[in-house]
Amino acid sequence: MPRTVRLLVAARAINRLGAFSLPFLTVLISADFGASVTTAGLLSAAFGLATIPSRLAGGRLATRIGRRRTIVLGLTGCAAAQLGIAAAGSLVAVAVFAVLLGLFFELYEPPSQALIADAVGPSERVRAYGLFNAALAAGGTGAGLIAASLGRWDLRWLFVVDAATCLLCALALRLALPAEHTDRSALRTPGTAEPVRPWRDRALRAVFLSGTLFALVTTQITMGLPLTLARRGLEPADAGLLFTASAVTVVASQPALRLRRLASLPDSAALALGHVLLAIGLAGYAVASALPAFLAATLVWTLGDVLILGRVLTVVADLAPRGGADRYLAAYGISWGIATVVAPVTSTQLLAHVGVGALWSGTAGLCLALAAAQLLVVEPLVRPVRERRAAPGGTGVAPRRTAPR
């Protein structure tokens, strides 16, 4: 992998190692300020909503002030907001800094993902994005241990240490990433007078819709698994063991992405296979009653997750016209902000009204529907655009008379 990719992967792992404070935000709000669970949930939802414009701003700022500056701004802003939460003396102050954290939280993603897309050839993007996601998983395995030790002492220190890792990453990337000259022409599609507008791209809209449902499924797992264990008579904290097993599986499975049979699969087939594996794993949750069964199901859906995460970012990067990767990746990334807001509601309401079996059976059915839609709906829209982008000398831009209005 090129130096830029290795730098971003290493920085990602360091940053993730400290990214353990957010799950404890609701606990801090309730314990230190006596707020109700409902109030704590609303503040967490406000954070999730703030990440949506943050992702869009990350794509715009990357083309206006440069990717390195945007990355540093995002990490530094996160650090300042987290220190504000740690020092807050009132619930209002915590709410303000939580929203501020959301507004900076996703600035990092579009420029870092676009840097990876530009640093490697199309054939290597799947592996590069796989390493990027593996860095998240690797850092996450240590993050839980740090959170367990610091959290017993004082929850506010979680936000202080998280801020320190953000500042460390910002400094490292500021010194290591090359400076760049921003070009306002990157805001326009090459070969036309039209600005780059991702939402006018039908292929991207199809990928975005599929990606939003995938993000909803993934976030629902995080929210619903501890509650599911409790309803099965198991210890909810054992969800931490299952998530650690999932993270280890993400890291350990990276070499498999280079196997010839897997690497040669068309992206549509790989994405469909990933959704099928997700469905099998989540169907396992519907019938599991003992921890080993939950562990086996977790390993299966994690393999599907690995297939999807590396491939889908590659598809989005390939859809983007020259100079438009930041904006396309930012637009696609909104799917995770939507999932962060919706999943806590859907997972708890479904558990309360239809139970464990129906929750996970229904989610597995949704994954099977996504697998079919990937082959029958999304791929026919995506393939012509990608072929046009890849054509020698082609910009992938349709003639002006056929451009959507």
Side-chain angles (χ1 to χ4, degrees):
M1 288 284 106
R3 178 174 177 271
T4 298
V5 176
R6 287 185 278 115
L7 280 171
L8 290 168
V9 167
R12 189 68 160 175
I14 294 170
N15 186 229
R16 176 58 176 160
L17 193 63
F20 42 70
S21 58
L22 283 177
F24 295 91
L25 178 60
T26 54
V27 181
L28 177 69
I29 292 169
S30 300
D32 281 26
F33 300 102
S36 66
V37 174
T38 301
T39 301
L42 287 174
L43 288 182
S44 295
F47 162 82
L49 282 172
T51 64
I52 296 176
S54 174
R55 185 70 85 132
L56 291 174
R60 284 189 169 273
L61 287 173
T63 54
R64 290 182 180 275
I65 67 173
R67 292 169 178 171
R68 187 178 69 171
R69 290 193 185 104
T70 303
I71 288 172
V72 171
L73 175 64
L75 290 171
T76 305
C78 282
Q82 286 165 332
L83 291 174
I85 291 173
S90 68
L91 185 59
V92 173
V94 171
V96 170
F97 283 116
V99 172
L100 187 64
L101 178 60
L103 292 173
F104 281 102
F105 197 74
E106 295 287 348
L107 292 184
Y108 176 95
E109 295 293 343
S112 59
Q113 292 171 357
L115 279 169
I116 290 176
D118 289 350
V120 298
S123 63
E124 288 294 311
R125 282 177 181 168
V126 172
R127 190 161 68 93
Y129 283 127
L131 288 173
F132 200 52
N133 293 320
L136 277 176
T141 57
L145 299 176
I146 297 174
S149 58
L150 285 177
R152 296 176 191 277
W153 182 22
D154 189 335
L155 288 176
R156 291 176 183 260
W157 279 103
L158 295 175
F159 293 89
V160 173
V161 175
D162 201 347
T165 62
C166 285
L167 291 174
L168 179 62
C169 275
L171 178 62
L173 292 176
R174 172 65 180 81
L175 296 175
L177 288 177
E180 55 189 335
H181 299 288
T182 57
D183 182 4
R184 288 297 187 90
S185 66
L187 296 173
R188 297 182 177 274
T189 305
T192 73
E194 299 283 343
V196 174
R197 292 195 176 104
W199 297 118
R200 289 193 173 187
D201 190 330
R202 286 196 308 160
L204 179 67
R205 291 202 301 269
V207 175
F208 170 77
L209 179 58
S210 173
T212 300
L213 294 174
F214 164 68
L216 178 62
V217 169
T218 303
T219 311
Q220 222 169 235
I221 293 171
T222 304
M223 300 292 179
L225 185 54
L227 297 172
T228 296
L229 293 178
R231 294 202 168 209
R232 294 297 196 204
L234 301 173
E235 178 59 49
D238 286 342
L241 298 176
L242 297 177
F243 290 136
T244 299
S246 175
V248 171
T249 303
V250 171
V251 177
S253 63
Q254 292 308 304
L257 296 177
R258 302 185 68 182
L259 295 176
R260 181 175 299 178
R261 284 192 176 183
L262 193 56
S264 62
L265 276 178
D267 288 328
S268 57
L271 289 168
L273 175 60
H275 284 111
V276 170
L277 289 172
L278 266 175
I280 294 172
L282 297 181
Y285 279 174
V287 298
S289 57
L291 195 59
F294 278 102
L295 177 60
T298 298
L299 299 182
V300 174
W301 72 251
T302 299
L303 292 175
D305 203 53
V306 169
L307 277 177
I308 294 169
L309 284 172
R311 294 276 184 158
V312 74
L313 291 177
T314 299
V315 171
V316 174
D318 288 350
L319 286 175
R322 188 171 62 250
D326 305 87
R327 300 282 295 278
Y328 268 62
L329 288 163
Y332 174 78
I334 294 174
S335 57
W336 291 96
I338 295 173
T340 301
V341 177
V342 174
V345 177
T346 57
S347 57
T348 53
Q349 291 300 307
L350 287 172
L351 274 175
H353 292 95
V354 300
V356 170
L359 166 65
W360 298 115
S361 297
T363 309
L366 174 61
C367 292
L368 290 177
L370 286 173
Q374 181 63 46
L375 297 173
L376 301 176
V377 179
V378 179
E379 175 60 13
L381 290 171
V382 167
R383 188 192 314 115
V385 179
R386 295 181 77 184
E387 289 174 351
R388 215 162 47 231
R389 301 277 191 255
T395 64
V397 180
R400 187 179 178 88
R401 64 180 179 276
T402 61
R405 296 295 179 186

